[in-house]
Amino acid sequence: MARAFDAIVVGARCAGSPTAMLLARLGYRVLLVDRATFPSDTVSTHILHPLGAEALSKWGLLSQLAATGCPPIDTYCFDFGPFTICGAPGTDTSPVAYCPRRTILDKLLVDAAAEAGAEVREGFVVEDVLVENGRAVGIKGRSKSGDVTAERARVVVGADGRRSFVAEAVRPKHYDEKPPLLAAYYTYWSGLPMEGRFENYIRDMRGFAVAPTHDGLTMVIVGWPYAEFAENKKDIEGNYLKTIELVPAFADRLRGAKREARFVGAAVPNYFRKPYGPGWVLVGDAGYNRDFITGQGIMDAFHDAELCAAALDKSFSGARPFEDAMDEYQRMRDARVKAMYEFTCQLATLEPPPPEMQQLFAAVHGKRRAMDDFARMNAGTISPAEFFAPENVNAIMAA
Ligand SMILES: Cc1cc2nc3c(=O)[nH]c(=O)nc-3n(C[C@H](O)[C@H](O)[C@H](O)COP(=O)(O)OP(=O)(O)OC[C@H]3O[C@@H](n4cnc5c(N)ncnc54)[C@H](O)[C@@H]3O)c2cc1C
């Protein structure tokens, strides 16, 4: 078998399609495969924070998303009961978020990869990672028609999500692991206008979030501690609505709305995986996962795609050895997400914040700049490390 591709990317959603697109745009020969066909849905809500929208804009894809009628979101609100913090989540150049259905976003991404020149095979299940002398050299997989084919490449990119087949095959080192902390169910409602707001309600060991999406629908996701996952499964709708009733004003709004879809639920583990080794790399959830409570996954996948494609370019072009380039990818990925990982895992416990944090949030309330920073921190526009830095906390408390 000749080596036909520079990269084979397994998984064609938020991490895989942009990685394939960016490599193909650099002139590399890329094969992108997914067992799914597109458009198709996946178990995920879909807040795309402003820096995620910025990546789409940089790639020339944001106008396509906006043209699908996805409503922009310019305000994030966090209702703690006694007070609500509302702020602007973005930057001057990327001021708004979106909440695009994955049927639409993922199709747009896979089409962009094909447009860039990647060969796309949908309905193709990877069943084997080919390894020679300890090095990944390709894949073997089955097409929809049942044909089994093997393909070779300089690198196999695992963009195949949390249950990554590629990661399972290459067995990367795991670190900073935490078990599932939160369980959540979501569905879609008509007749629940949001006027550009992403609303979050935080109550005792419960929380829910609400955002407008395509087709005039509004996504409402409700969460409780993972310890209650099994028990609450016995009556999903009852527990979902009971949680909403903790906020009577919102429950009134929901009574005027109509549920348009079934409930979908999930709980996820938190982990980092070493994202490279001989002949293979990992991007997106395959390499790093954090609870979805802060809605970082799609944006993180976009950032991984950029970092990883740039690192592979350095390696393929001979500018840097593979190990060096990928080590930098890992360090940059981890440095970018570390503080948000800790913040996310803390939030996902749904435990009340410690008293000093409650005092800080109360002090943020009503101060325009601090409220915007709070929204920007939750959006990942600024790091929690920056927001919770002693000088920033002192300035907020003193103001
Ligand atoms: C309930 C829930 C809510 C969430 N809410 C948000 C949110 O609001 N905002 C946000 O940013 N993130 C959210 N996330 C996280 C987000 O869904 C993920 O971070 C994101 O989908 C990661 O993209 P990915 O491309 O790495 O993996 P995935 O989207 O999981 O895609 C992996 C692809 O790999 C393919 N694949 C897997 N195995 C094979 C194989 N053997 N052969 C061929 N193809 C294969 C699959 O078919 C799939 O298409 C949420 C997640 C959950 C579970």
Side-chain angles (χ1 to χ4, degrees), residues 271-339:
Y271 55 79
F272 286 83
R273 293 176 182 147
K274 183 178 178 194
Y276 70 94
W280 58 268
V281 301
L282 302 174
V283 286
D285 285 5
Y288 155 65
N289 195 52
R290 73 327 287 141
D291 194 275
F292 44 78
I293 194 165
T294 46
Q296 303 289 307
I298 300 170
M299 183 172 71
D300 284 346
F302 288 180
H303 284 132
D304 270 14
E306 290 204 317
L307 290 175
C308 183
L312 285 176
D313 181 33
K314 286 181 192 147
S315 161
F316 290 160
S317 66
R320 288 184 74 177
F322 177 81
E323 279 275 331
D324 276 15
M326 300 320 294
D327 181 59
E328 187 180 31
Y329 160 55
Q330 179 178 9
R331 278 189 287 105
M332 288 173 77
R333 178 197 70 173
D334 290 5
R336 197 184 68 73
V337 300
K338 189 73 178 75

Side-chain angles (χ1 to χ4, degrees), residues 10-16 34-36 43-47 102 124-126 159-162 165 186 266 268 283-285 290 292 295-299:
V10 182
R13 293 191 187 268
C14 303
D34 201 303
R35 67 177 167 215
V43 176
S44 171
T45 57
H46 29 80
I47 281 289
R102 293 289 296 264
F124 184 94
V125 187
V126 172
D160 47 348
R162 290 193 308 280
F165 181 85
Y186 64 93
V268 302
V283 286
D285 285 5
R290 73 327 287 141
F292 44 78
Q296 303 289 307
I298 300 170
M299 183 172 71

Side-chain angles (χ1 to χ4, degrees), residues 79-112:
D79 178 324
F80 292 92
F83 58 86
T84 301
I85 295 173
C86 285
T91 61
D92 289 348
T93 48
S94 188
V96 297
Y98 293 87
C99 187
R101 290 299 296 261
R102 293 289 296 264
T103 43
I104 292 172
L105 177 68
D106 295 1
K107 171 71 175 151
L108 193 150
L109 295 171
V110 79
D111 284 354

